């Protein structure tokens, strides 16, 4: 829970007082993100970029619409695209591309998602407090799992993290792609998963012969078999997904 609220930066996480953590996170955003951008002359209007950071924090983990954000801020969609490139270049955001391969579906989403590298920094940029509604908590937990998948993928090598979504409905939060195989992963903020949460995983397994197993990452204390090829696992066991497919 603390990682979801305050992130994983060592200097922040070592601080005991939550209020002091927020002060340090705000200082990080102001001095590093905004000052570094100003110093490097990466953008002409730092005020606009600061507003962009707020929207980027709010939209972190969602499929991004450059045009929608541009209308909110009052700049061109190409400027918004360049701002996201700056976040990538500064290692502040991770871009996650969709899986677009399909022999049957014509409406797979092709736009990318962006994840802030640290959830504490994301929360401060988005100007959010520490009390989340259940649905928001689930969305941020999904981002946490996504970041952990990305980090483990880099450590493992020859591995990519994607997502899958059809405009008509079916979607899977994360896809591990390795050695021409797919491992679909759904994320749920629950400690009692059931088969109702496996519908889209079953759809994916049925449509992609490259996928043999699927997982629900949640808050169960130990693995739980939900279906023939679908297992719920604790979020602490994310790294085990990669050792299974070495």
């Amino acid at each position: 829970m603390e990682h979801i609220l305050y992130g994983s930066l060592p200097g922040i996480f070592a601080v005991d007082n939550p209020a002091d953590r927020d002060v340090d996170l705000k200082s990080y955003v102001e001095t590093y993100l905004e000052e570094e951008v100003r110093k490097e002359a990466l953008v002409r209007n730092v005020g606009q970029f600061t507003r962009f950071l707020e929207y980027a924090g709010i939209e972190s983990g969602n499929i991004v619409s450059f045009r929608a954000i541009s209308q909110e801020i009052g700049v061109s969609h190409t400027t918004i695209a360049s701002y996201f490139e700056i976040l990538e270049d500064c290692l502040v955001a991770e871009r996650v591309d969709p899986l677009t391969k399909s022999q049957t579906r014509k409406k797979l989403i092709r736009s990318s998602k962006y994840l802030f590298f640290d959830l504490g920094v994301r929360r401060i940029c988005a100007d959010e407090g520490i009390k989340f509604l259940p649905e928001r908590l689930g969305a941020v937990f999904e981002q946490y799992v996504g970041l952990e998948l990305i980090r483990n993928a880099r450590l493992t090598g020859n591995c990519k993290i994607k997502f899958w979504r059809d405009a008509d409905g079916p979607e899977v939060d994360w896809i591990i792609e390795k050695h021409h195989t797919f491992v679909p992963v759904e994320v749920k903020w629950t400690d009692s998963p059931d088969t109702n949460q496996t519908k889209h995983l079953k759809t994916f397994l049925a449509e992609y012969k490259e996928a043999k197993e699927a997982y629900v990452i949640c808050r169960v204390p130990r693995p739980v078999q939900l279906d023939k090829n679908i297992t719920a696992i604790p979020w602490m066991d994310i790294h085990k997904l990669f050792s299974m497919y070495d």
Side-chain angles (χ1 to χ4, degrees), residues 96-160:
V96 183
D97 295 323
L99 176 64
T100 57
K101 173 187 176 181
S102 177
Q103 295 182 348
T104 58
R105 295 185 180 272
K106 305 300 182 183
K107 295 184 179 181
L108 289 180
I109 296 295
R110 296 182 178 274
S111 299
S112 300
K113 292 181 179 181
Y114 289 85
L115 298 175
F116 265 68
F117 81 106
D118 182 85
L119 293 179
V121 173
R122 182 215 66 80
R123 181 173 60 81
I124 295 301
C125 286
D127 195 24
E128 294 178 352
I130 60 173
K131 293 184 178 180
F132 291 152
L133 294 174
E135 59 269 22
R136 186 57 176 158
L137 191 57
V140 179
F141 181 55
E142 180 184 319
Q143 293 177 57
Y144 172 80
V145 171
L147 289 170
E148 289 301 304
L149 290 172
I150 290 169
R151 288 165 184 155
N152 278 276
R154 287 205 176 108
L155 289 172
T156 304
N158 299 318
C159 198
K160 295 180 180 179

Side-chain angles (χ1 to χ4, degrees), residues 23-154:
V23 170
D24 290 347
L25 281 168
K26 289 176 182 177
S27 177
Y28 177 90
V29 170
E30 292 170 359
T31 59
Y32 178 73
L33 296 189
E34 296 175 8
E35 289 296 331
E36 280 297 309
V37 166
R38 182 183 290 110
K39 184 176 70 175
E40 298 296 331
L42 295 175
V43 298
R44 294 181 179 179
N45 189 320
V46 176
Q48 285 181 345
F49 185 77
T50 300
R51 289 189 63 206
F52 159 76
L53 278 178
E54 180 179 352
Y55 281 96
I58 293 170
E59 293 299 322
S60 177
N62 295 330
I63 295 171
V64 170
S65 168
F66 295 153
R67 291 188 182 277
I69 297 177
S70 72
Q71 291 170 2
E72 292 290 342
I73 298 177
V75 299
S76 70
H77 70 277
T78 55
T79 297
I80 297 300
S82 71
Y83 284 175
F84 273 109
E85 287 182 8
I86 289 171
L87 294 188
E88 280 191 86
D89 292 342
C90 293
L91 305 181
V92 174
E94 300 277 2
R95 188 185 75 209
V96 183
D97 295 323
L99 176 64
T100 57
K101 173 187 176 181
S102 177
Q103 295 182 348
T104 58
R105 295 185 180 272
K106 305 300 182 183
K107 295 184 179 181
L108 289 180
I109 296 295
R110 296 182 178 274
S111 299
S112 300
K113 292 181 179 181
Y114 289 85
L115 298 175
F116 265 68
F117 81 106
D118 182 85
L119 293 179
V121 173
R122 182 215 66 80
R123 181 173 60 81
I124 295 301
C125 286
D127 195 24
E128 294 178 352
I130 60 173
K131 293 184 178 180
F132 291 152
L133 294 174
E135 59 269 22
R136 186 57 176 158
L137 191 57
V140 179
F141 181 55
E142 180 184 319
Q143 293 177 57
Y144 172 80
V145 171
L147 289 170
E148 289 301 304
L149 290 172
I150 290 169
R151 288 165 184 155
N152 278 276
R154 287 205 176 108

Side-chain angles (χ1 to χ4, degrees), residues 172-190:
V172 174
D173 295 329
W174 306 111
I175 306 292
I176 304 172
E177 181 181 6
K178 185 174 184 180
H179 300 322
H180 306 293
T181 63
F182 300 136
V183 182
V185 173
E186 282 279 76
V187 182
K188 302 296 180 183
W189 181 257
T190 180

